[in-house]
């Protein structure tokens, strides 16, 4: 396997990210480029989020999003939140998910985040062990979620 390029996403990566997200959440409505473009510009331009990608031969094969949240507790140190971790099904078990997560963690630690949160909807033990292998723990806090219908 070729060595992947791990980097922050750019404006030109929208179609590749949307293709990955179709694998992440196959039941979601398919977004066309025109509808997604304003949201993509906000993601890239917010200053609070970085979407990391793994690229092989010009194709995006893995990604995750890091948000760094300003914070007044913990000595005014920010915290990070990682979401939308996905690797193309044809490239799994090759270290690509770990590579994009490590890039996100490096950025969070460089920003002096005191912690980084990651939530997964997966109940598969292999997925949970994957996140633990990167350094996350599943017993540190209780996570609650509410969704608007």
């Amino acid at each position: 396997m070729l060595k992947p390029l791990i980097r922050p996403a750019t404006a030109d990566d929208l179609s590749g990210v949307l293709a990955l997200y179709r694998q992440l959440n196959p039941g979601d409505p398919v977004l066309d480029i025109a509808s997604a473009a304003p949201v993509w510009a906000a993601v890239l331009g917010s200053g609070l989020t970085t979407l990391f990608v793994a690229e092989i031969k010009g194709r995006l094969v893995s990604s995750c999003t890091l948000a760094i949240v300003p914070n007044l507790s913990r000595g005014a140190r920010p915290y990070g939140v990682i979401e939308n971790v996905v690797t193309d099904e044809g490239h799994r078990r090759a270290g690509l998910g770990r590579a994009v997560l490590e890039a996100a963690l490096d950025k969070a630690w460089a920003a002096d985040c005191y912690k980084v949160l990651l939530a997964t909807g997966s109940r598969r033990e292999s997925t949970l062990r994957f996140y633990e292998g990167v350094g996350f723990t599943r017993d540190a806090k209780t996570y609650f979620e509410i969704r608007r219908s």
Side-chain angles (χ1 to χ4, degrees):
M1 177 186 240
L2 294 173
K3 183 172 172 61
L5 172 62
I6 309 299
R7 60 174 177 77
T10 66
D12 294 335
D13 292 324
L14 177 56
S15 62
V17 169
L18 290 175
L20 284 171
Y21 285 3
R22 281 191 289 280
Q23 291 183 48
L24 179 64
N25 297 305
D28 278 2
V30 176
L31 288 177
D32 60 75
I33 296 293
S35 299
V39 177
W40 185 238
V43 167
L44 295 179
S46 75
L48 298 174
T49 56
T50 305
L51 197 143
F52 289 93
V53 296
E55 177 185 338
I56 296 177
K57 289 184 166 180
R59 181 170 175 237
L60 301 188
V61 292
S62 189
S63 73
C64 74
T65 302
L66 169 69
I68 296 179
V69 182
N71 181 38
L72 288 174
S73 69
R74 303 292 183 165
R77 291 173 65 199
Y79 59 92
V81 179
I82 293 177
E83 272 286 335
N84 297 329
V85 180
V86 60
T87 298
D88 177 79
E89 60 189 7
H91 290 85
R92 292 186 183 152
R93 300 198 179 280
L96 299 167
R98 173 182 286 275
V100 294
L101 283 171
E102 287 175 348
L105 290 170
D106 287 347
K107 180 169 179 110
W109 303 146
D112 198 31
C113 289
Y114 81 94
K115 71 178 177 182
V116 176
L117 308 168
L118 179 146
T120 180
S122 177
R123 302 278 188 232
R124 291 191 338 235
E125 190 62 29
S126 60
T127 300
L128 303 178
R129 281 194 310 270
F130 163 71
Y131 290 126
E132 287 176 325
V134 177
F136 291 92
T137 61
R138 53 176 128 169
D139 60 354
K141 283 196 172 189
T142 300
Y143 174 85
F144 290 90
E145 176 180 290
I146 188 168
R147 291 187 183 213
R148 189 173 180 184
S149 32

